[in-house]
Amino acid sequence: MNNEDMLQWRIIGDGDDSLVYSKNDLVDVVLERFIVKACST
Amino acid sequence: MDLRAAYSKRELNEQQFTSISNNKIEEILKEALFREGRKEALSWALDSFSSLELDLDNVETETSSSSSTQRFAERLLLNVPFRDVVLTKALLGYFCEYNAEKVVELISSSSSSGWREFFLSDDDDDERKKAFFQSNFRFDGEHLKGAKAICSFSLRRRNTHWHHLRWRNNKSQSPVICATKPGTFCELDCVQTLRGSLGEDDEFWSSEEFMKSLKRNGGEDAKVLILSDIEYFVSILYGKLSRTSSTDDNNFSELHVRSYLFSFLKKQNHLITCQKLLPFISNETDVLKLANNLFTKKDECKSLLGCVFAGVEWQSVEDFVLAIALTFRARIFAQILKDCNNEEILKQEIVLIDASKSKLNIFCQFFIARLKINANVLDIEEVMRKSGIEFKRVALEYIEDFEDDEDSVQSIKKSKKKRKKRKLMMTTTKNKGEEHN
């Protein structure tokens, strides 16, 4: 297990601060957010 | 958002970033996508329709009153034409399987009953006749199902139809005897009666008595009959839809069948509908038509689903499938690419990709960002920092202290499980120790 596997992230100001993301989940969430924003502008 | 973030110094030194056209990037990705097989890639696209039920409400629709399943049913029936024989038959089979009582209604409303042909096969040992007619004569006179229908119909129409009945050993019985001792009907040669003029008479198959026998037991008996030979009923309904049926009934027309199918699809579980029908779409362009017509141009995208389906007209099946792979299946597609040689894509400078031309370019841009993050060429934390997304790192040990955190992601559950397992192992060890003592 490398160091990144030991880490998780919370996105602050997201409404639900209790959500904790693994790296893969975080990438999904962040990139999806970017895509939606890019498509709607 | 800022995707220029953080190429590590090591990577900057080692990598020589190049720039190729958007078309070339799409070409590379499509090649990788379809390498494993076109069918497999298409199945991703079909699966994406299944997620509509969950996400459609996040898309601001022009007609907000219509539910997601209604919209899908409407678009499916409008855009996937009935000329697709395989799909149409799959739809009719689905209709027969899940809505047998309506099939009974439709078949029974025909002036020339489909029931006659169903029961009058050449096989004397036909189990359907036995199960519905022959096996239901009772010595105590309490006849059931088809047997009851024959008895009641013959007695009521005794003046015109009694002579149609065929008796065993040519030992005819009179209506008076049969009315006073209903058990006498057990002497009836059911098979010969049905194969004879009674069976040939449409009046019997459309009679109140026969209809009653079908509706008995809440229509369950009729359902069993339909399920026993769905193919037969599908062929009758298909004949109506394709207008090859010779009969012309006001109550059983192509329009009637279409309207029944529409009402049926609207009420069905969307996921089951997708599973039952979408794999049977034989023409790829029909998949494209469906994708392009699910939403109107006025619909807005507030979710990934909206981005892929709303306000866009995919020019080819390949483009649509790639869009699905780059969005809904991005994680698994990235994994597939990792196993292939994806160095050429990793060398692309993200900011040089022109994402202004099409949605597909946008999806490509962010997909390459994903590949770079996975390959540690790009740092997700720095991307978030530069894009103004505030975040907090959480160490795994810290998370383990949240016993009641219901919303935690799977990894937390896993860590809890591991901890519980550890506790269990400790308890077991302790117990074993006690046993030894």
Side-chain angles (χ1 to χ4, degrees), chain B residues 124 129 133-134 137 150 164-173 184-199:
Chain B
D124 283 352
K129 269 182 269 183
F133 289 102
Q134 272 168 274
F137 287 98
I150 293 179
H164 290 325
L165 301 181
R166 298 285 174 269
W167 300 90
R168 281 188 203 144
N169 306 320
N170 289 326
K171 205 176 161 187
S172 296
Q173 300 292 341
T184 316
F185 273 112
C186 291
E187 305 283 314
L188 195 74
D189 187 334
C190 184
V191 174
Q192 289 308 316
T193 299
L194 286 173
R195 292 188 73 175
S197 42
L198 184 75

Side-chain angles (χ1 to χ4, degrees), chain A residues 10-27:
Chain A
R10 282 202 175 99
I11 296 178
I12 299 171
D14 227 13
D16 189 355
D17 284 355
S18 62
L19 280 174
V20 186
Y21 301 102
S22 64
K23 187 182 173 186
N24 280 333
D25 291 331
L26 184 73
V27 173

Side-chain angles (χ1 to χ4, degrees), chain B residues 178-343:
Chain B
C178 289
T180 49
K181 291 181 180 174
T184 316
F185 273 112
C186 291
E187 305 283 314
L188 195 74
D189 187 334
C190 184
V191 174
Q192 289 308 316
T193 299
L194 286 173
R195 292 188 73 175
S197 42
L198 184 75
E200 292 299 322
D201 192 346
D202 279 339
E203 216 179 323
F204 171 68
W205 299 107
S206 57
S207 70
E208 197 184 308
E209 287 84 359
F210 180 66
M211 287 300 121
K212 221 172 167 179
S213 70
L214 291 173
K215 287 173 186 165
R216 187 188 160 270
N217 199 11
E220 283 302 313
D221 295 340
K223 270 187 203 174
V224 172
L225 289 174
I226 286 166
L227 293 176
S228 75
D229 193 357
I230 283 185
E231 214 174 298
Y232 170 78
F233 292 98
V234 165
S235 71
I236 292 186
L237 296 173
Y238 184 74
K240 284 290 166 191
L241 278 179
S242 58
R243 299 177 192 177
T244 52
S245 172
S246 55
T247 52
D248 191 20
D249 296 309
N250 288 334
N251 295 323
F252 185 30
S253 63
E254 180 203 357
L255 208 64
H256 274 87
V257 180
R258 276 178 189 262
S259 132
Y260 271 68
L261 287 174
F262 183 62
S263 312
F264 163 71
L265 274 190
K266 274 199 303 188
K267 290 172 194 159
Q268 283 309 109
N269 177 292
H270 177 73
L271 190 63
I272 295 176
T273 298
C274 290
Q275 286 168 348
K276 291 274 182 187
L277 301 183
L278 297 183
F280 294 98
I281 298 180
S282 39
N283 196 341
E284 283 183 7
T285 53
D286 285 335
V287 177
L288 194 66
K289 245 189 219 175
L290 192 59
N292 284 340
N293 288 291
L294 271 176
F295 301 100
T296 68
K297 287 205 166 76
K298 288 177 187 170
D299 294 330
E300 287 178 29
C301 49
K302 285 188 168 180
S303 67
L304 202 57
L305 185 103
C307 292
V308 176
F309 287 102
V312 62
E313 187 148 334
W314 297 110
Q315 296 302 309
S316 69
V317 177
E318 288 79 6
D319 281 359
F320 172 59
V321 175
L322 181 61
I324 298 295
L326 298 177
T327 51
F328 295 112
R329 299 299 179 120
R331 203 190 281 192
I332 189 168
F333 187 38
Q335 191 58 43
I336 290 170
L337 280 175
K338 194 182 171 188
D339 301 335
C340 309
N341 185 7
N342 65 351
E343 275 172 23

Side-chain angles (χ1 to χ4, degrees), chain A:
Chain A
M1 190 182 269
N2 62 41
N3 287 342
E4 261 183 356
D5 292 332
M6 297 296 288
L7 276 178
Q8 299 210 320
W9 289 264
R10 282 202 175 99
I11 296 178
I12 299 171
D14 227 13
D16 189 355
D17 284 355
S18 62
L19 280 174
V20 186
Y21 301 102
S22 64
K23 187 182 173 186
N24 280 333
D25 291 331
L26 184 73
V27 173
D28 283 346
V29 168
V30 170
L31 291 183
E32 182 173 334
R33 197 176 286 195
F34 287 165
I35 290 174
V36 172
K37 199 174 173 187
C39 286
S40 56
T41 50

